């Protein structure tokens, strides 16, 4: 036991005699840039594309004395609406229920000849709205014409690109190129030499600009014209460059 203690004391003495440990640099030869040795810029990129699909929100609203009657009439009309949509070769997976609603209709106090002072239920209003995705955008007007004689609620039409990922990536590339252009311009104007990229990050999320929805009223046989226009995809990238020095 005494021998083991002696060996332990010798090991501790040897460790302490080496002096404090010195941390090695994480990466030899790498320059760590300070706050005054960088150029930070934000690059922006945009890409325009024509939408290739349309989204239509349409439905039926019915009014009846009882809740059962209101829902029954609504279901009958909605079945006709969905059938008309299917006739235009829209697949069921592209027809989605958006809202189903049933609300009582109340009388206004003093509005009746009896001079009632309290509101009462005079009937029920049922509504059902579906969202239809038209994957062949040139068929949008045909679908609208097919449903306009049945739907008494057409809440709007939106246009979009089915696969925006490649367009968003292109917007990101343009944003990085724009950042590089700005950084080179700033470095030249300041009389310094631009160094490597130190940090790069995306501001928010690259996304298509939100287009306003086309609001419409249902009119039988309207021959509705549809102009999808173009959609803009944008990205914003923050890039920090180092400034080369002779030290």
């Amino acid at each position: 036991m005494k021998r083991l203690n002696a060996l332990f004391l010798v090991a501790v003495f040897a460790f302490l005699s080496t002096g404090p440990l010195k941390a090695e640099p994480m990466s030899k030869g790498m320059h760590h840039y300070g706050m005054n040795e960088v150029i930070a810029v934000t690059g922006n990129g945009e890409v325009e594309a024509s939408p290739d699909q349309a989204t239509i929100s349409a439905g039926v609203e019915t009014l009846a004395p009882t809740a059962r009657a209101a829902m029954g009439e609504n279901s009958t009309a909605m079945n006709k609406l969905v059938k008309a949509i299917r006739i235009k070769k829209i697949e069921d997976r592209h027809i989605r229920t958006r809202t189903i609603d049933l609300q009582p209709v109340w009388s206004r106090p003093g509005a009746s000849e009896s001079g009632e002072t309290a509101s009462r239920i005079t009937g029920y209003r049922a509504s059902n709205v579906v969202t239809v995705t038209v994957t062949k955008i040139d068929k949008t007007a045909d679908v609208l014409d097919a449903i306009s004689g049945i739907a008494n609620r057409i809440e709007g039409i939106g246009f979009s690109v089915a696969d925006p990922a490649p367009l968003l990536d292109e917007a990101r590339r343009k944003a990085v190129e724009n950042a590089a252009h700005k950084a080179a311009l700033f470095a030249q104007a300041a009389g310094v030499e631009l160094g490597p990229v130190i940090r790069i990050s995306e501001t928010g999320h690259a996304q298509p600009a939100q287009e306003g929805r086309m609001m419409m009223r249902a009119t039988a046989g309207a021959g509705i014209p549809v102009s999808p226009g173009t959609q803009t995809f944008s990205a914003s990238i923050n890039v920090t460059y180092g400034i080369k020095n002779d030290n």
Side-chain angles (χ1 to χ4, degrees):
M1 178 64 70
K2 292 181 179 179
R3 185 180 179 185
L4 290 175
N5 289 339
L7 290 173
F8 176 78
L9 291 173
V10 170
V12 171
F13 177 78
F15 176 80
L16 294 175
S17 65
T18 60
L21 296 176
K22 295 182 180 180
E24 291 293 328
M26 292 180 64
S27 54
K28 296 180 179 179
M30 178 180 290
H31 179 74
H32 297 281
Y33 293 90
M35 290 291 292
N36 297 324
E37 298 178 299
V38 300
I39 294 177
V41 294
T42 298
N44 299 299
E46 289 187 350
V47 175
E48 285 192 351
S50 298
D52 55 12
Q53 66 179 13
T55 304
I56 303 170
S57 293
V60 175
E61 183 175 283
T62 54
L63 183 65
T66 66
R68 180 185 293 274
M71 289 301 295
E73 292 176 16
N74 192 276
S75 296
T76 299
M78 282 303 297
N79 286 335
K80 292 180 180 179
L81 179 66
V82 172
K83 183 178 180 181
I85 295 170
R86 287 171 176 162
I87 288 175
K88 293 301 178 180
K89 298 183 179 179
I90 303 296
E91 298 179 20
D92 285 349
R93 64 192 179 98
H94 292 140
I95 306 172
R96 178 175 56 86
T97 299
R98 180 179 173 185
T99 59
I100 297 177
D101 190 42
L102 177 65
Q103 295 289 337
V105 178
W106 296 85
S107 64
R108 290 183 297 169
S112 65
E113 296 179 358
S114 61
E116 295 177 347
T117 58
S119 296
R120 64 183 182 85
I121 296 176
T122 60
Y124 288 85
R125 178 180 289 108
S127 65
N128 190 337
V129 176
V130 294
T131 297
V132 183
T133 301
V134 184
T135 56
K136 295 182 179 179
I137 202 166
D138 57 335
K139 300 295 183 183
T140 305
D142 289 343
V143 175
L144 285 170
D145 284 342
I147 67 176
S148 62
I150 305 168
N152 55 13
R153 287 184 61 177
I154 299 183
E155 297 188 347
I157 308 171
F159 302 100
S160 61
V161 174
D163 183 15
L167 297 167
L168 293 172
D169 285 346
E170 181 61 24
R172 292 184 179 103
R173 292 188 191 94
K174 289 191 174 185
V176 173
E177 292 173 1
N178 180 243
H181 171 75
K182 286 182 179 179
L185 179 65
F186 294 164
Q188 182 182 24
V192 297
E193 187 176 356
L194 197 64
V197 172
I198 300 172
R199 186 180 300 105
I200 184 168
S201 63
E202 187 169 11
T203 302
H205 300 284
Q207 58 185 350
Q210 296 297 317
E211 301 289 343
R213 294 178 65 83
M214 185 187 298
M215 303 303 293
M216 311 185 70
R217 291 183 177 180
T219 305
I224 303 168
V226 176
S227 300
T230 60
Q231 194 168 19
T232 301
F233 297 81
S234 61
S236 183
I237 305 292
N238 295 324
V239 185
T240 301
Y241 292 85
I243 297 176
K244 289 184 179 179
N245 56 55
D246 298 330
N247 297 330

